[in-house]
Amino acid sequence: ENLQKIPMEGSGKRGDQHDSGKRQQDDVRSSNIVAGKAIADAVRTSLGPRGMDKMMQTSQGEVIITNDGATILKQMSVNHPAAKMMVELSKSQDIEAGDGTTSVVVLAGALLNACSTLLSRGIHPNQISDAFQLAARKADEIMTQMAVPVDFNDKATLIKCTTTSLSSKVVSQNSGLLAPLAVDAVLHIADPATESNADLNNIKVVRKLGGTVDDTELIQGLVFTQKASKSAGGPSRMANAKIAVLQFQLSPPKTDIENTVIVSDYQQMDRILKEERTYIADLCKKIAKTGANVILLQKSILRDAITDLGLHFLSKLKIMLIRDIERDEIEFICKTLHCVPIASAEGLRAEKLGQANLVEEIETSEGKIVKVTGVPQPSRTVSILCRGSNKLVLEENERSIHDALCVVRSLFKKRFMIAGGSAVEMEVSEKLQEWSKSLGGAESYCVRAYAEALEVIPATLAENAGLNPISIVTELRLQHSQGNKYAGVNVRKGTISNMLDENVVQPLLVSASALSLATECVRMILKIDGIIPTM
């Protein structure tokens, strides 16, 4: 009898341990899901053309106004590890497609919500995870089937895609100017016939306060926010410019170690000044000998990049000077001007110079800028001078231009576009629900939950536009079941319209990567059953 009792006690203890272990795993999962949903709810109101903007104050007291999901989440102070995964998710979408950073987080939040319902029904996390992967693959197929191929010779279509991306930004009323500008910029740096990607590092966006967003312009050349140095009377305009990019200083040399020279005699002092004068005069003569008439001088941290004496000699030689060029700009400048940076006086040679038809200083409402135009062709770089009436508008204008450039790049990567206005999410949802009927058991149940979660996008768009989300989603569902696969939410008219007719289109890559990244992130959160702190 005693022997029979022993295993009974042991198994009871083991059962208790198992229950508490399972409870702990469930607590960790639900805590992760709640944290993920909280992040999604924070950015949900800024989705779509009628989305609200967020105002953020950084620790330095700087204020940022934006409705770009990636920017909001980057500035947000987040401590929970699962919430950090949502921030990383938005960053991944920004790198991959450049647009849809809010949608991807809202989608992930809806999928997490579906997970918590499925988990409460007793379905194992691994089953949910596998079913979600199946559904994501099927969703990708459905999207590709409804996509329309893009012809890069048809510029109007590219502009439509870019305008859709800009419609949700603060600068949406200026999309008539910014969309064609972004398309021209990307087509200038990459040839769609031979390349399947565009390197956006070849587009330099320069911010200059003052004017309005309408003053933003595309410059086939360079633009500097520094003004030309004219304190000694040097020129501020130079036609047929021969440009030298100098990485050395036009100032007297210093010793490597910190030391003091005491001069007790006037003759010695005169000799020092004479040497200094001769040294700088020689440098300036060497520069003039190469034929250079414009100098771009790199910023120096060790000593003055140029002294007053140097400015005096350069103005005598009628050489234009632009100083304080940042080190990281040098590569872009050299690529544009087809020149080689000169690191020392010994390296001064005529073949290292760049050329341009005109370098001139231009007056703007907030100070001066220098424009370099007529650069040698073929030039695979371009500059965008970004304007704004105040700092907040200027920064948001720059972010919007970046998103617009990324949209054109997305079309390079995947040459298809699809209807916007949540038409694609609704169509995928409709088709997945149909497909889930052919599956069996828990898998069918999970795929259906995945499909229903996608309806969060039309519901949020309608909600943000002040429409009734339930009636809009019900009407959309009806339209899609009748075969109107391009029907989406028209937030301007407050109805359901054919999105292709309304010119609301977006790159396939934006929606496809948003779905696959959101699914991947949710599956990762599902697989976590414990958080272990480490020292």
Side-chain angles (χ1 to χ4, degrees):
E1 280 178 6
N2 288 348
L3 284 172
Q4 282 173 341
K5 279 179 191 169
I6 293 165
M8 290 288 285
E9 286 169 13
S11 66
K13 226 179 241 174
R14 219 174 295 141
D16 290 348
Q17 282 172 354
H18 177 72
D19 284 351
S20 70
K22 190 163 185 335
R23 258 201 310 278
Q24 191 186 350
Q25 288 175 7
D26 292 346
D27 288 348
V28 166
R29 258 189 216 104
S30 63
S31 147
N32 286 347
I33 288 172
V34 167
K37 274 158 63 180
I39 294 285
D41 290 341
V43 294
R44 199 179 151 175
T45 51
S46 62
L47 180 74
R50 291 281 185 270
M52 295 295 178
D53 298 339
K54 300 273 185 267
M55 181 186 268
M56 289 159 293
Q57 189 167 19
T58 62
S59 51
Q60 285 85 33
E62 193 185 331
V63 175
I64 296 171
I65 298 175
T66 182
N67 67 357
D68 177 47
T71 310
I72 295 168
L73 292 177
K74 194 165 42 178
Q75 299 296 337
M76 212 183 259
S77 135
V78 175
N79 294 324
H80 196 286
K84 282 183 181 162
M85 285 171 75
M86 298 292 270
V87 176
E88 289 301 318
L89 166 69
S90 175
K91 206 185 281 179
S92 308
Q93 175 72 2
D94 198 30
I95 293 165
E96 176 62 25
D99 195 21
T101 48
T102 313
S103 314
V104 73
V105 177
V106 172
L107 270 175
L111 291 175
L112 285 172
N113 203 11
C115 288
S116 70
T117 312
L118 294 169
L119 287 168
S120 65
R121 301 265 166 91
I123 300 175
H124 194 275
N126 277 343
Q127 277 181 304
I128 302 172
S129 173
D130 294 344
F132 275 18
Q133 187 175 15
L134 264 181
R137 280 203 199 123
K138 184 71 180 169
D140 200 55
E141 283 172 31
I142 297 164
M143 280 192 219
T144 312
Q145 280 164 15
M146 67 179 289
V148 181
V150 171
D151 177 16
F152 273 87
N153 296 324
D154 179 13
K155 214 169 178 188
T157 312
L158 304 181
I159 291 171
K160 278 179 207 167
C161 272
T162 319
T163 309
T164 306
S165 156
L166 290 169
S167 67
S168 63
K169 306 282 183 255
V170 177
V171 294
S172 58
Q173 69 274 16
N174 305 92
S175 56
L177 164 81
L178 299 180
L181 186 136
V183 171
D184 288 342
V186 178
L187 290 179
H188 184 80
I189 62 155
D191 179 11
T194 55
E195 290 169 77
S196 61
N197 200 352
D199 183 4
L200 296 187
N201 290 330
N202 290 337
I203 299 174
K204 189 166 189 295
V205 181
V206 179
R207 291 188 302 191
K208 181 69 181 169
L209 196 63
T212 61
V213 177
D214 284 328
D215 297 332
T216 301
E217 59 177 314
L218 185 71
I219 296 160
Q220 291 190 6
L222 294 168
V223 60
F224 299 104
T225 49
Q226 301 93 320
K227 53 183 194 275
S229 298
K230 303 198 296 286
S231 54
S236 62
R237 186 178 189 280
M238 190 64 70
N240 296 328
K242 293 202 168 30
I243 304 167
V245 179
L246 302 187
Q247 290 185 302
F248 60 90
Q249 296 89 359
L250 296 177
S251 58
K254 261 184 170 179
T255 50
D256 290 341
I257 48 173
E258 199 58 51
N259 61 7
T260 318
V261 179
I262 297 168
V263 181
S264 53
D265 171 358
Y266 281 121
Q267 283 178 326
Q268 287 175 324
M269 207 159 167
D270 283 348
R271 225 167 63 226
I272 290 172
L273 291 171
K274 206 172 182 183
E275 275 300 317
E276 199 175 296
R277 197 182 168 88
T278 314
Y279 175 78
I280 292 173
D282 281 351
L283 279 182
C284 293
K285 280 176 191 163
K286 276 182 187 171
I287 293 167
K289 204 174 173 185
T290 60
N293 52 17
V294 176
I295 292 176
L296 302 178
L297 190 60
Q298 185 178 307
K299 203 180 222 177
S300 167
I301 48 171
L302 298 172
R303 61 180 207 244
D304 294 339
I306 187 163
T307 57
D308 291 345
L309 202 54
L311 288 170
H312 168 73
F313 284 132
L314 289 178
S315 72
K316 277 270 187 352
L317 292 163
K318 295 278 181 288
I319 294 175
M320 185 176 173
L321 171 73
I322 298 139
R323 59 206 279 190
D324 292 342
I325 304 291
E326 295 292 345
R327 182 185 289 269
D328 52 7
E329 291 177 17
I330 297 286
E331 189 187 345
F332 181 83
I333 292 169
C334 294
K335 210 186 275 184
T336 308
L337 298 174
H338 296 194
C339 65
V340 179
I342 301 165
S344 68
E346 288 72 48
L348 281 163
R349 284 200 296 280
E351 58 268 24
K352 289 188 175 179
L353 303 183
Q355 291 180 328
N357 292 347
L358 183 65
V359 179
E360 64 175 332
E361 187 178 71
I362 292 169
E363 189 80 52
T364 68
S365 53
E366 293 275 335
K368 294 173 179 174
I369 57 168
V370 174
K371 264 191 201 175
V372 180
T373 49
V375 294
Q377 297 298 335
S379 167
R380 296 300 292 274
T381 61
V382 71
S383 302
I384 294 174
L385 178 62
C386 179
R387 305 300 301 275
S389 53
N390 62 45
K391 191 163 173 280
L392 303 176
V393 172
L394 184 62
E395 286 173 357
E396 185 60 12
N397 187 12
E398 186 189 16
R399 280 191 288 271
S400 305
I401 288 173
H402 172 261
D403 278 11
L405 295 171
C406 287
V407 165
V408 187
R409 187 188 63 180
S410 299
L411 289 168
F412 261 80
K413 286 184 179 177
K414 238 185 194 172
R415 303 197 170 196
F416 289 95
M417 62 178 192
I418 46 175
S422 77
V424 65
E425 285 84 4
M426 209 62 213
E427 178 67 12
V428 169
S429 174
E430 169 67 30
K431 290 273 195 291
L432 280 181
Q433 287 189 31
E434 199 63 43
W435 181 64
S436 70
K437 292 171 187 168
S438 65
L439 302 170
E443 207 169 61
S444 159
Y445 203 74
C446 296
V447 170
R448 196 175 322 135
Y450 183 95
E452 283 167 8
L454 297 182
E455 291 178 359
V456 72
I457 300 286
T460 306
L461 283 179
E463 208 175 298
N464 290 348
L467 310 172
N468 182 344
I470 296 171
S471 63
I472 288 281
V473 172
T474 314
E475 174 66 22
L476 256 183
R477 212 180 273 164
L478 176 68
Q479 295 268 5
H480 280 268
S481 63
Q482 289 171 353
N484 300 339
K485 60 180 179 180
Y486 298 124
V489 184
N490 184 338
V491 290
R492 288 194 176 83
K493 294 177 185 167
T495 56
I496 307 261
S497 315
N498 182 319
M499 289 290 121
L500 288 187
D501 295 346
E502 293 287 334
N503 292 335
V504 179
V505 285
Q506 63 188 43
L508 171 62
L509 182 71
V510 172
S511 293
S513 82
L515 247 186
S516 67
L517 288 171
T519 311
E520 208 172 274
C521 179
V522 169
R523 288 183 65 219
M524 207 181 282
I525 290 174
L526 264 184
K527 291 273 180 83
I528 298 166
D529 70 349
I531 295 177
I532 300 165
T534 57
M535 291 304 286

